[in-house]
Amino acid sequence: MAGAAHGSRQCALTHRYYQQWNWRRTPRGPAGLYTQQLTRRHCQHFSKELLQQESVQRYLEKMIEEYRQVTQRLNNTALTESERRTMSRRQIELSPMATVFQQSQRAVKDLKDVQAIIESAEAGEDTQMLELAKEEQKGIRKLIEALQIKLLQSLVPSDKHDASDVIVEVAAGRTTGGDICQQFTREIFEMYQNFASYKQWAFEVLNYTPAEYGGLHHAAARIAGESVYRHFKYEGGMHRVQRIPEVGLSSRMQRIHTGTMMVIVLPQPDEMLL
C-alpha cells in the first residue's frame, strides 16, 4: 500500500513510514495534487537512495549471480529431472528481478549516450538537436525512476498466498486516543477502499460499525482482484497516529493526541477441504 489517505499510493515503504510515525492527511483539489507530486518525488528519491545502500547492492549482486548460475546450470544435460525442475522454478522466481535489472542497466547506458549528445550539441550550438536530446533525456530519467521502484518491488520475497483475495478488518484502539482512534480507523478503511477502486478490485463491505463524530469502531471488507494479498500482506498490525483532532471532544484541547488502531489481513484460500 502506498502513501497517505487519499492520494499517495505510489510507494509501500513511504506508506508504512507515515503509518508508523505520523499520519498526514492529503488535501483534495490542487493542494492534494501538489501533495501527490511531492510524495511521488519522495518515493523516487527514496528508491534511488535505498538502491545505493551497500547492503542492498550486495544482495542484488548475489541474486543476479545466482540467476546467471541457475541459467548456466540448466544448460547442463547431466542434470536429473528433479534437479532440472528445482532449477527451473528458481529461474522463474528470479527472472522478473533479472529482467528489470537488465532493463535498468540499458536505460543508464542510454542516459549516458544522450548526455554525450547533449554536450556535443551544446558545443556545436545545434539548438534543434539539443532540444530533441533533452526531451529524450527526460523520458529516460522517468524510465529509470520507474525501473528503480520496480526493481525494489522485485526484491521482496514472494509468498504462496500472494495471488489470493483478502479479508481486511480494522478496529479502533480501546485504551488510548478516543475520538482520534475512531477517526483514524475510518480514514484507514477509506484509504483501503480508495486503493481498491484505484486498482479496479472488488471491495465488498462485510461489517461497518460507525462511531460518533464521523469515526469508525470496527469494519471488515473482502477485497478481490489480481495479487491483492501481495499488496496487503504487510498492512497487518498496530498503527499509530499523532495529531490535533479536527472534531470531537479531544479537538477542544488543541494539543497533539496519540491514537492507535489495528489492521488484520487474512488471505482467502482458493480451495477449502472439508
Side-chain angles (χ1 to χ4, degrees), residues 210-224:
E212 295 180 344
Y213 305 109
L216 179 63
H217 283 300
H218 173 271
R222 176 179 178 271
I223 307 176

Side-chain angles (χ1 to χ4, degrees), residues 218-231:
H218 173 271
R222 176 179 178 271
I223 307 176
E226 183 180 353
S227 302
V228 177
Y229 186 71
R230 183 170 70 86
H231 291 78

Side-chain angles (χ1 to χ4, degrees), residues 165-184:
D165 300 335
V166 300
I167 299 292
V168 175
E169 185 176 354
V170 298
R174 302 294 183 183
T175 57
T176 61
D179 301 331
I180 194 174
C181 292
Q182 296 153 11
Q183 292 160 16
F184 184 45

Side-chain angles (χ1 to χ4, degrees), residues 64 94-106 146-152 154:
I64 293 296
L94 295 172
S95 180
M97 179 270 300
T99 301
V100 176
F101 178 77
Q102 291 167 1
Q103 291 173 343
S104 179
Q105 294 291 89
R106 285 197 298 267
L147 288 172
Q148 286 173 341
I149 295 174
K150 197 172 178 180
L151 183 58
L152 281 177
S154 70

